[in-house]
Amino acid sequence: MMDLSDGLSLDLLRMCRESGTGAIVYGDRLPLFSGSRAWGCDPIELGLHGGEDYELLFAVPPRLAFSLESAYPAKYPKITRIGMLTRSLQMEWIRESNMRPRPLAPRGFDHFRS
């Protein structure tokens, strides 16, 4: 589990590297701020690469996902299943359910980039 303050795509890369996995993210499942269109932003791009979201990214084995969601207290912020970890070492994303996966480039805020 980790926070997403640096952006989903960058923090997901960090999680994948540490766990020796890849990932697929479903763009149509991301919790988005649709009001960002008024700022001239694409809500999906902002959801993938924007930071300071104050959200947590975590993974559980697929066999435990349903029981976690069922037992999770409704008084807390909702759990959103946005994708899955894969055995492949690549990160990919699917904008809409009927589209093919595309590479997910890690972008976001990197504290060590000069």
Side-chain angles (χ1 to χ4, degrees):
M1 180 182 291
M2 61 194 301
D3 71 74
L4 288 179
S5 60
D6 294 336
L8 172 62
S9 63
L10 186 57
D11 287 327
L12 178 59
L13 174 67
R14 293 171 177 151
M15 179 180 276
C16 288
R17 282 184 177 162
E18 290 299 316
S19 63
T21 65
I24 294 179
V25 174
Y26 301 104
D28 56 359
R29 294 186 188 176
L30 292 174
L32 302 175
F33 177 57
S34 59
S36 63
R37 284 198 191 281
W39 306 337
C41 297
D42 175 351
I44 292 180
E45 287 291 313
L46 196 58
L48 288 171
H49 310 296
E52 300 305 327
D53 291 330
Y54 304 105
E55 295 281 345
L56 294 174
L57 175 66
F58 65 93
V60 296
R63 70 184 186 285
L64 300 177
F66 181 75
S67 58
L68 170 66
E69 291 169 334
S70 298
Y72 190 77
K75 67 182 179 179
Y76 295 128
K78 183 179 145 187
I79 292 175
T80 305
R81 223 188 280 198
I82 62 166
M84 63 183 165
L85 297 179
T86 64
R87 291 177 192 236
S88 157
L89 297 180
Q90 298 180 9
M91 288 196 335
E92 298 178 306
W93 73 288
I94 301 171
R95 188 172 188 100
E96 296 174 20
S97 59
N98 61 346
M99 300 177 86
R100 293 188 182 274
R102 304 187 318 192
L104 177 58
R107 296 191 340 232
F109 184 74
D110 185 344
H111 299 270
F112 302 106
R113 192 179 320 158
S114 55

